Amino acid sequence: MVSNLIDQDDRFLGILERLTTKSIDDYYNPYKLFEWPDSLPEAMWWMSPELTTTYGTEAAQRLTQEQLHALSRYESINFYSLNVHGIRELLIEVTKRIHTAGFETPSEFFHHFIGEENEHMWFFAEFCLRYGKKIYRQPAGANADIPRSNVESLLVFARILIFEELVDHFNSRMALDDRLHGTIRAINRIHHQDESRHIAFGRELVTALFEDVRRTCSAAELQEIAAYLRRYLAYSFESLYNPQVYRDAGIENPLELRRELLESPARAEFEQSVFRKTAKFLGKVGMI
């Protein structure tokens, strides 16, 4: 039971108390915080160009500056759409566990987590609908479904952590990028502020859950967990490469472009930079 492990860990208890206090102290009303201009200029970057899927590839050299700006616009809408879908999933899974056997100790923090994530989902959806007139559909990922088993909670919170660390890689950079509109920087800055707490908690919780699972799992089962996490890392990263984005940006043959970008040498470097901290953590814990 995870609560038993937390209750025996003074360090984890201290972290939990500090993060809960900080959630209270840093509370803000997102419905009053943001300024939403009627429109955002199209002839500008909506996402840091280094974070777009064509950056550093031969494909980018074939595109005009206008096309690159359009691509960044729709990639930003896709990125915030992925946030909406990812947050919906984590809200469902965390809500299923709050105040249940084994999760008594972290449940107070779960209340803050759920409240903050619900507000994040609202402002990401608001951005998409105001400036993109749509929320992109969630990409298919049947092979990343969570298996119902005795390691389900571990995989749930590992997925949440992977998702949050991917998102925070983008947030932390776009929050400081003065090439972006102030509204874009603001939503990334606020999300990074909250996600820093969520990631700190998630790493501690995943570590505790894995220690509990490792006591009873066979070597083969541990290999299955590692393989699952590798698939989910790949799925999460590849969801950034949305052919509908390329189509909306006016680029011909969007499926061929996606295939070209995923096979590009720049893709491996990009993926490594996005998941550098995540892979280091998972390796240190012994999960991959």
Side-chain angles (χ1 to χ4, degrees):
M1 290 293 192
V2 68
S3 280
N4 292 338
L5 292 172
I6 296 174
D7 291 342
Q8 297 169 20
D9 188 337
D10 290 339
R11 177 179 170 277
F12 196 166
L13 287 172
I15 291 172
L16 200 54
E17 182 178 358
R18 288 196 301 275
L19 293 176
T20 300
T21 300
K22 192 159 181 58
S23 288
I24 296 170
D25 292 343
D26 289 350
Y27 181 74
Y28 57 88
N29 185 340
Y31 307 103
K32 295 182 178 180
L33 180 65
F34 298 107
E35 294 182 6
W36 300 104
D38 292 338
S39 62
L40 299 179
E42 292 190 357
M44 62 170 285
W45 295 109
W46 286 41
M47 173 181 279
S48 300
E50 298 81 6
L51 298 175
T52 58
T53 58
T54 57
Y55 182 77
T57 68
E58 292 182 3
Q61 298 174 16
R62 301 195 300 267
L63 302 176
T64 66
Q65 189 70 17
E66 183 180 1
Q67 288 177 311
L68 290 171
H69 281 157
L71 184 64
S72 79
R73 181 164 70 253
Y74 290 107
E75 287 209 25
S76 77
I77 300 300
N78 181 59
F79 174 66
Y80 301 129
S81 297
L82 292 173
N83 275 269
V84 171
H85 299 309
I87 292 169
R88 183 193 306 113
E89 175 188 308
L90 69 83
L91 284 174
I92 291 169
E93 297 296 347
V94 174
T95 302
K96 283 167 59 176
R97 288 164 174 79
I98 191 170
H99 295 301
T100 62
F103 290 95
E104 296 90 348
T105 302
S107 283
E108 181 179 356
F109 182 76
F110 282 166
H111 279 287
H112 298 286
F113 181 93
I114 290 168
E116 290 166 359
E117 291 294 356
N118 178 58
E119 291 169 349
H120 298 163
M121 182 164 58
W122 173 78
F123 63 68
F124 283 131
E126 186 73 5
F127 185 95
C128 291
L129 296 173
R130 277 179 179 267
Y131 306 123
K133 309 303 180 188
K134 70 168 84 177
I135 295 174
Y136 283 109
R137 289 184 299 176
Q138 188 170 23
N143 64 338
D145 287 345
I146 301 169
R148 303 302 170 188
S149 68
N150 62 332
V151 300
E152 179 184 345
S153 287
L154 169 64
L155 296 181
V156 162
F157 285 103
R159 277 176 65 135
I160 290 173
L161 180 63
I162 289 168
F163 163 71
E164 289 182 323
E165 295 213 7
L166 180 152
V167 166
D168 193 59
H169 177 85
F170 283 71
N171 293 153
S172 60
R173 285 153 180 78
M174 289 196 284
L176 301 175
D177 191 341
D178 59 12
R179 293 170 295 182
L180 308 181
H181 191 278
T183 297
I184 295 173
R185 294 199 306 272
I187 63 175
N188 280 280
R189 182 177 64 252
I190 290 297
H191 196 240
H192 171 58
Q193 172 184 299
D194 291 344
E195 288 305 280
S196 297
R197 292 193 300 276
H198 297 181
I199 289 170
F201 169 74
R203 286 189 171 202
E204 296 295 328
L205 183 60
V206 166
T207 299
L209 287 167
F210 185 60
E211 286 301 316
D212 192 39
V213 163
R214 188 153 52 178
R215 295 173 185 174
T216 57
C217 276
S218 66
E221 289 170 324
L222 292 175
Q223 289 176 358
E224 289 178 6
I225 291 171
Y228 175 88
L229 293 178
R230 290 192 186 95
R231 290 197 304 274
Y232 189 70
L233 285 163
Y235 162 79
S236 299
F237 182 75
E238 291 177 11
S239 66
L240 298 168
Y241 294 74
N242 185 342
Q244 185 60 51
V245 164
Y246 308 139
R247 184 175 292 111
D248 289 344
I251 298 174
E252 296 182 359
N253 303 317
L255 290 174
E256 290 183 17
L257 176 61
R258 182 179 193 268
R259 188 179 307 110
E260 176 188 349
L261 294 174
L262 288 174
E263 293 174 354
S264 168
R267 171 259 172 90
E269 184 178 345
F270 184 25
E271 185 171 7
Q272 186 176 26
S273 69
V274 169
F275 284 132
R276 179 178 60 83
K277 294 180 180 179
T278 313
K280 183 177 179 180
F281 165 75
L282 294 173
K284 181 180 178 181
V285 174
M287 296 182 69
I288 61 173

